[in-house]
């Protein structure tokens, strides 16, 4: 008998019928003798509906109130799933983020989990109940409702698994595992049986969309055994995220290609080329809780420099406005940007021991006439920023160039 | 400078545009120098949508989980209204039922308010903020989400007004006051400038739909000055609910006609005619938290009796099931019912000092061929249960018979 945390995303609970289907899966796990904690997202489409309503009220909705509105999506799902379980004879009880309680910091709409009280959940599990927890949400020290940002339900699940020392955290999604890249873009993409945490971290952060990055970080930090499975297909093994590299001796050099359209480029042109200018520009952006990803600084003319960086597309307007407000104090000649860019990345542990991987990537893109706007690298990945219209093309040619189309170990 | 509690119902917040309209009204009250606490319902249609989803999960949804689902409706509205107020420069803060906290008993889906903590609200009002509270909901001593039942937002508003000792509680609705009857049924119906609490209590309990009965009881108990106003028309005075009878010396004998389709009749036939049988039947119904309204007991044959009573239509099936389960212990020959009935009532303080009011009512209905199934009376009202297909006709002819079509004092 194990303790299993199962997380079902928006598509898996997207209709009354699908919620009932989730109830049957949970009941089956329960019937195998396991204790089950279920984390659910809002029904698909619901979060978008709520965001649209909020934007009808305010161009930039108040973050505290945004969380009040957004948190209702998951609250509906937990109640419905509890009913569906009771309807098939499985005792269950639902909890919102504040009821559990999932304590977070005060960064509304992108809060971080600080602490989870497992008391209520343990009592219910001991009483033989399935525990259902609303993903994506928590409560601040002030008693305000907070949310963790898009995809936050994965993080909720992993954090709960860590707090409860669960034997496995299963993330059910609409794909049956982690692929070498998105099969909708490259039909030849293959499911990986295992992937290492380091690789998954890069794949998640680069927008592979299967798992939210913070959930992977969390899982790595607390050594939570994490598995990605399909909620639509019965009996699949999914992809297990492994801690041990040596489980995968025969890895390919590049194990996956990720891409991410949630990118916008900001250019601060003609600023004085003096120490501290990067901090002056990026400090203000960081203070506004906007995440900066890629950064480059070009040498300009006559003691000035051009400074470029990328932010999530949803923060594009706010970043531009923020910088325009401090344009004169920065001494910038111009501030502009482009929100029609995307990031494409190759990821693989094998890159550590192989040279020439980046140059193969650049050559492959050049042969297709794709211009590279920015480059960033880490030990196990190379990312490039390109025009979003080339995203699919770039992914396809890279997938082929690194031999991911062929069946191979890993 | 006064402290005013304003409540806006589902229709008044039924769209983004209407929520903005409410924000402008609140801002106008604020601009007059008043402190404002706003109580809102779910956007119209939302509660029905959630109820339908719940019923797709379970025929009789679990009450605790039902409240988890239903409470989201108001939570969306409070967040949106706070955004709309901030957008026009009015500082505001939203609170759910548990945040305030509105403490209730454990009767899920029809909980009663026990206590309200005014600490957070007072602090916000002192800081110059508009306070927005989700109507209809609260929290139990166990930390579970509870709801007050349909129309509960009125009760929330009055309870908050009582807790805060507000100068006036204004209920904004889609009508501009309390009418002699529903103008959609009788176009000649007239708005009353004032109505007494006793009359309002009867009108509300009889389904006039303008105010929920518990809100009127609450207002009477805590002497909350209550006014019904239109959220659609600017500048109306609405109807003030008065405590003093002598404010209305020249009242009509009958001041209003109420009707209510939320009625179902249950018949328990051929039970032994012995002491305690009424308690035996109705005790079980009361234990299930089902409200019984009209009751009659007919003498049957050979030491048996027929027992009939009415319940809310939503409890019809549950009541029948419950009684069928105890049919043998009751010794009943048959248990059946009818959920196509309605209640029509005449209400007026003047009935105290006038005779023949009931007989005028019965004669008027008889002249139209309308059969009366049950009768119940109080000091200031007479109610009859009739076939629901005659509801509009009965209301029209009674409105005319008691001279409510003509302009008169009150």
């Amino acid at each position: 008998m194990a303790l299993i945390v199962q997380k079902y995303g928006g598509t898996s609970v997207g209709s009354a019928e699908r919620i009932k289907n989730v109830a049957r899966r949970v009941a089956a796990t329960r019937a195998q003798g396991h204790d089950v904690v279920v984390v659910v997202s809002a029904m698909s489409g619901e979060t978008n509906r709520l965001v649209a309503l909020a934007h009808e009220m305010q161009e930039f909705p108040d973050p505290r109130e945004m969380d009040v509105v957004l948190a209702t999506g998951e609250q509906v799902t937990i109640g419905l799933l509890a009913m569906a379980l009771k309807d098939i004879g499985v005792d269950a009880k639902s909890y919102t983020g504040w009821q559990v309680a999932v304590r977070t910091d005060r960064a509304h709409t992108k809060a971080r989990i600080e602490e989870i009280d497992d008391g209520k959940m343990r009592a219910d599990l001991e009483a033989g109940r399935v525990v259902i927890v609303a993903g994506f949400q928590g409560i601040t020290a002030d008693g305000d409702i907070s949310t963790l940002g898009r995809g936050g339900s994965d993080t909720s699940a992993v954090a709960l698994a860590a707090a409860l020392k669960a034997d496995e955290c299963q993330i059910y999604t609409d794909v049956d595992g982690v692929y070498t890249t998105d099969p909708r873009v490259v039909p030849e993409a293959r499911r990986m049986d295992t992937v290492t945490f380091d690789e998954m971290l890069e794949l998640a952060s680069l927008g592979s969309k299967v798992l939210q990055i913070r959930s992977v970080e969390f899982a790595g930090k607390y050594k939570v055994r994490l598995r990605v499975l399909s909620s639509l297909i019965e009996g699949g093994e999914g992809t297990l995220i492994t801690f041990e590299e040596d489980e995968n001796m025969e890895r390919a050099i590049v194990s996956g290609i990720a891409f991410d359209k949630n990118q916008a480029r900001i250019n601060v042109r003609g600023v004085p080329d003096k120490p501290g200018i990067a901090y002056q520009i990026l400090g203000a952006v960081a203070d506004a809780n906007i995440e900066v990803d890629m950064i480059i600084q070009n040498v300009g003319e006559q003691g000035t420099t051009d400074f470029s960086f990328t932010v999530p597309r949803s923060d594009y307007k706010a970043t531009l406005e923020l910088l325009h407000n401090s344009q004169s104090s920065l001494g910038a000649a111009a501030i502009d940007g482009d929100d029609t860019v995307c990031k494409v990345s190759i990821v693989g542990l094998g890159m550590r021991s192989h040279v020439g991987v980046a140059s193969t990537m650049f050559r492959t893109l050049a042969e297709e006439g794709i211009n590279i706007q920015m480059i960033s690298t880490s030990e196990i990945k190379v990312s490039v920023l390109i025009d979003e219209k080339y995203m699919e093309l770039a992914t396809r040619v890279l997938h082929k160039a690194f031999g991911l189309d062929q069946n191979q170990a890993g």
Side-chain angles (χ1 to χ4, degrees), chain A:
Chain A
M1 184 174 120
L3 170 55
I4 296 174
V5 174
Q6 297 188 332
K7 181 259 170 177
Y8 294 91
T11 313
S12 308
V13 294
S15 67
E17 211 34 71
R18 287 196 170 178
I19 292 173
K20 289 183 182 185
N21 192 42
V22 166
R24 282 188 289 269
R25 265 179 195 268
V26 171
T29 310
R30 193 84 194 88
Q32 287 164 21
H34 301 307
D35 282 338
V36 189
V37 173
V38 189
V39 177
V40 285
S41 301
M43 294 171 77
S44 56
E46 184 62 7
T47 303
N48 288 337
R49 183 182 77 87
L50 295 169
V51 168
L53 271 173
H55 281 279
E56 282 192 75
M57 296 298 128
Q58 263 187 308
E59 196 186 347
F60 302 111
D62 181 80
R64 177 189 184 275
E65 303 300 339
M66 190 68 168
D67 281 352
V68 170
V69 172
L70 288 183
T72 60
E74 285 72 22
Q75 189 171 325
V76 169
T77 320
I78 57 169
L80 294 178
L81 180 57
M83 292 174 195
L85 278 165
K86 283 178 171 250
D87 197 50
I88 56 173
V90 178
D91 196 11
K93 209 164 169 184
S94 78
Y95 293 103
T96 60
W98 60 267
Q99 283 176 317
V100 167
V102 177
R103 274 281 298 279
T104 73
D105 61 18
R106 291 181 180 86
H108 283 292
T109 76
K110 41 182 108 169
R112 283 175 181 267
I113 296 175
E114 290 176 342
E115 197 183 328
I116 292 178
D117 181 358
D118 66 350
K120 281 189 185 180
M121 291 187 286
R122 290 233 179 261
D124 282 317
L125 291 172
E126 270 159 38
R129 287 192 196 100
V130 168
V131 172
I132 304 165
V133 181
F136 178 67
Q137 57 182 250
I139 182 169
T140 70
D142 303 323
D144 289 333
I145 295 168
S146 54
T147 70
L148 311 181
R150 287 265 162 154
S153 291
D154 288 349
T155 308
S156 301
V158 174
L160 286 166
L164 291 162
K165 296 184 179 55
D167 296 285
E168 189 164 297
C169 181
Q170 301 176 339
I171 307 287
Y172 287 85
T173 170
D174 52 352
V175 296
D176 64 341
V178 181
Y179 274 68
T180 50
T181 194
D182 190 332
R184 286 170 297 190
V185 171
V186 183
E188 293 80 15
R190 292 172 307 99
R191 180 178 63 77
M192 299 184 260
D193 291 330
T194 63
V195 62
T196 68
F197 261 93
D198 287 337
E199 287 172 326
M200 194 62 221
L201 210 52
E202 295 289 2
L203 287 167
S205 70
L206 298 168
S208 75
K209 283 175 194 161
V210 178
L211 281 173
Q212 210 235 0
I213 176 164
R214 268 194 278 161
S215 70
V216 180
E217 288 171 359
F218 232 103
K221 188 168 168 191
Y222 294 99
K223 294 278 180 279
V224 173
R225 187 181 163 94
L226 196 62
R227 189 184 290 276
V228 176
L229 294 150
S230 166
S231 66
L232 309 172
I233 303 165
E234 297 278 344
E237 286 296 306
T239 298
L240 180 69
I241 291 106
T242 61
F243 296 100
E244 301 300 327
E245 284 183 34
D246 54 10
E247 287 181 33
N248 306 282
M249 290 293 287
E250 298 296 317
R251 294 204 72 76
I253 298 168
V254 169
S255 44
I257 319 272
F259 49 84
D260 181 9
K261 261 193 181 163
N262 184 21
Q263 292 280 332
R265 173 182 170 143
I266 307 277
N267 307 306
V268 183
R269 299 182 192 275
V271 284
D273 189 6
K274 60 176 186 196
I277 189 71
Y279 172 73
Q280 212 182 325
I281 294 169
L282 297 180
V285 177
D287 288 347
N289 232 324
I290 295 167
E291 228 166 316
V292 171
D293 181 8
M294 304 170 93
I295 304 169
I296 55 169
Q297 189 170 351
N298 301 324
V299 177
E301 292 163 32
Q302 293 160 334
T304 67
T305 181
D306 292 344
F307 196 89
S308 296
F309 58 94
T310 63
V311 295
R313 210 172 275 186
S314 55
D315 291 325
Y316 178 59
K317 279 186 189 172
T319 310
L320 277 183
E321 191 176 291
L322 184 154
L323 290 174
H324 276 132
N325 289 341
S326 55
Q327 183 171 354
S328 58
S329 71
L330 290 172
I335 288 159
D336 55 36
D338 182 359
D339 63 350
T340 62
V341 293
C342 76
K343 187 167 70 169
V344 174
S345 310
I346 57 174
V347 174
L349 274 190
M351 287 165 67
R352 284 183 187 159
S353 45
H354 285 74
V355 291
V357 175
S359 65
T360 302
M361 181 187 201
F362 303 153
R363 190 190 67 234
T364 305
L365 296 176
E367 281 170 5
E368 298 295 334
I370 299 170
N371 187 39
I372 297 170
Q373 300 181 17
M374 285 184 172
I375 298 168
S376 92
T377 62
S378 80
E379 233 188 322
I380 63 163
K381 76 128 202 258
V382 182
S383 299
V384 294
L385 195 77
I386 60 174
D387 188 325
E388 68 171 12
K389 74 181 170 189
Y390 294 124
M391 191 179 79
E392 291 82 2
L393 173 61
T395 304
R396 272 197 307 274
V397 295
L398 290 171
H399 197 265
K400 197 174 166 74
F402 288 104
L404 295 175
D405 296 6
Q406 292 123 45
N407 203 2
Q408 57 191 35

